[in-house]
Amino acid sequence: MQHLTILVPDGQSKLSSIICTYKVFIKANAYWKEIHGKDLFQIQLAGISKEVAFYEGLFTVKPHTDIAAIGRTDLIIVSALNNHNYEESLRLNKPMTDWIARQYKLGAEVATMCTGTFLLASSGLLDGKHCSTHWAAAETFRSMFPNVKLQTDLLITDENGIYTNGGAFSFLNLILYLIEKYYDRQTAIYCSKIFQIEMDRNSQSPYVIFTGQKQHGDEMVQQAQSYIESNLQEKISIEYLADKFAVGRRNFDRRFIKATGNTPVEYSQRVKIESAKKALETSRKTINEVMYEVGYSDVKAFREVFRKITGMSPIEYKGKYNKEAVV
């Protein structure tokens, strides 16, 4: 029998991700046992404290065991963190991240949910690898872990026995992904139907709200960002921006990428598409009207950029998020 460890970090983590993971895997085990006559996993909640409080003490979790009592495990699942003081969470859970790193070296696979990725990244196991996390935490994550290849458009990443996923309740999709991988497709479909979780979602792009990456100290780049955001209808060339701020084109690109994680062109596209999304969500404007408002004149180009950023066409997006609009 394999061993599954669901971690309960100290401090504030997401109670929902712990409970749901436990419930869905218990159900998968029961279904597997009906067919094969035995459980696939021994499932344990483990932590570094005997009791962890959630939501100002309204709920508490008492892990089955301490991580120190687990010599070997096959799969580790790290719940999402529930606060924005990530440095404090990492300090509180240093013994846990060290334990994760040791277990990974012994052959365990590791899955993190949403902002649980911060814990895994602090162990060094994600250096040079791809991962995802909640899009709202992306800027903070990049500043704390510059050696990790963050891809918030992906709902799930799977690399060298390490799994990560996007934000909030998308952890349910990671659970199904792991169940299909460890049990089989039939068990994953069964759990999908029992818990009514959509199968095979692979992107969180439609849910991203782009607010711009402003947590940096480069004043020139901040001014360039403000100019881009204030001139959505304009087709602004990068050469024009570089000249406007008296910086060479190559240096302008380098500073912009270092500060924001995007090229100037990518940043301009994301700002324009975010404005287009809001218009499609809240107005009865046609696709063409919205396209012109954000500085595009070529329908094909607008559609391609929109799909690249959101994973959907403008018409699909409008149909999904604006129920009163007539497309």
Side-chain angles (χ1 to χ4, degrees):
M1 185 187 302
Q2 298 188 74
H3 186 273
L4 166 62
T5 304
I6 302 171
L7 292 180
V8 184
D10 272 13
Q12 289 299 303
S13 56
K14 292 279 188 182
L15 180 60
S16 57
S17 60
I18 296 169
I19 293 173
C20 292
T21 302
Y22 186 69
K23 286 187 66 176
V24 179
F25 270 94
I26 287 290
K27 183 63 72 174
N29 247 5
Y31 181 76
W32 184 265
K33 190 172 184 177
E34 282 185 11
I35 298 172
H36 300 281
K38 60 181 179 180
D39 292 329
L40 183 66
F41 275 114
Q42 177 191 359
I43 304 169
Q44 286 189 305
L45 271 61
I48 54 177
S49 297
K50 292 184 178 180
E51 182 174 295
V52 180
F54 293 82
Y55 303 106
E56 300 178 345
L58 186 60
F59 305 102
T60 59
V61 171
K62 298 178 181 179
H64 295 115
T65 188
D66 191 287
I67 55 172
I70 301 175
R72 288 286 298 269
T73 190
D74 297 288
L75 175 61
I76 301 165
I77 298 181
V78 186
S79 67
L81 304 180
N82 197 33
N83 62 37
H84 299 292
N85 189 354
Y86 298 115
E87 291 182 356
E88 175 66 9
S89 292
L90 301 187
R91 184 188 66 78
L92 287 173
N93 292 286
K94 181 66 165 56
M96 185 172 286
T97 55
D98 291 343
W99 180 85
I100 292 170
R102 287 195 302 271
Q103 290 294 327
Y104 181 72
K105 289 178 181 178
L106 291 172
E109 295 196 327
V110 186
T112 68
M113 298 174 164
C114 189
T115 49
T117 313
F118 281 77
L119 283 181
L120 185 59
S122 71
S123 73
L125 292 179
L126 283 175
D127 286 355
K129 296 184 178 69
H130 297 87
C131 80
S132 187
T133 191
H134 197 296
W135 57 261
E139 193 169 351
T140 302
F141 187 93
R142 286 192 179 99
S143 67
M144 291 179 66
F145 306 107
N147 296 326
V148 181
K149 301 173 183 177
L150 183 63
Q151 294 185 284
T152 53
D153 57 318
L154 298 178
L155 197 71
I156 295 171
T157 66
D158 177 346
E159 187 173 351
N160 299 122
I162 293 177
Y163 312 89
T164 69
N165 93 291
F169 284 89
S170 67
F171 69 79
L172 294 167
N173 299 100
L174 175 62
I175 293 173
L176 289 186
Y177 183 86
L178 293 172
I179 286 173
E180 180 172 355
K181 190 153 191 174
Y182 275 86
Y183 294 82
D184 56 19
R185 179 76 174 179
Q186 183 180 346
T187 306
I189 291 172
Y190 173 77
C191 290
S192 170
K193 291 179 177 180
I194 290 294
F195 293 100
Q196 299 187 35
I197 306 168
E198 183 181 350
M199 289 282 291
D200 300 325
R201 275 183 57 208
N202 56 21
S203 174
Q204 65 172 334
S205 295
Y207 306 99
V208 174
I209 302 172
F210 185 69
T211 56
Q213 302 100 331
K214 303 290 179 60
Q215 295 178 13
H216 59 81
D218 194 322
E219 185 177 348
M220 182 276 291
V221 174
Q222 289 176 341
Q223 291 176 0
Q225 289 175 277
S226 296
Y227 188 86
I228 291 170
E229 293 163 7
S230 301
N231 295 273
L232 289 178
Q233 291 181 300
E234 303 297 322
K235 293 182 178 179
I236 306 169
S237 73
I238 307 308
E239 288 78 8
Y240 172 81
L241 282 175
D243 288 343
K244 180 177 178 61
F245 295 103
V247 180
R249 167 64 193 270
R250 181 175 295 181
N251 191 34
F252 180 82
D253 283 347
R254 180 186 61 78
R255 287 173 63 176
F256 204 100
I257 293 169
K258 182 179 179 181
T260 70
N262 289 123
T263 67
V265 170
E266 289 169 343
Y267 190 86
S268 177
Q269 288 175 339
R270 297 195 66 154
V271 169
K272 289 174 180 288
I273 296 306
E274 188 61 34
S275 179
K277 284 163 57 182
K278 291 176 182 175
L280 293 172
E281 292 165 6
T282 60
S283 75
R284 297 176 66 85
K285 294 175 182 175
T286 66
I287 303 298
N288 282 358
E289 287 173 328
V290 171
M291 176 186 73
Y292 291 129
E293 283 185 358
V294 297
Y296 283 88
S297 57
D298 185 314
V299 175
K300 182 180 179 182
F302 175 67
R303 187 167 55 241
E304 287 178 352
V305 173
F306 195 97
R307 183 179 289 279
K308 181 182 74 173
I309 291 174
T310 69
M312 307 170 72
S313 72
I315 291 176
E316 290 169 339
Y317 190 90
K318 188 173 185 179
K320 185 177 180 69
Y321 290 106
N322 190 335
K323 295 304 182 184
E324 296 182 0
V326 177
V327 179

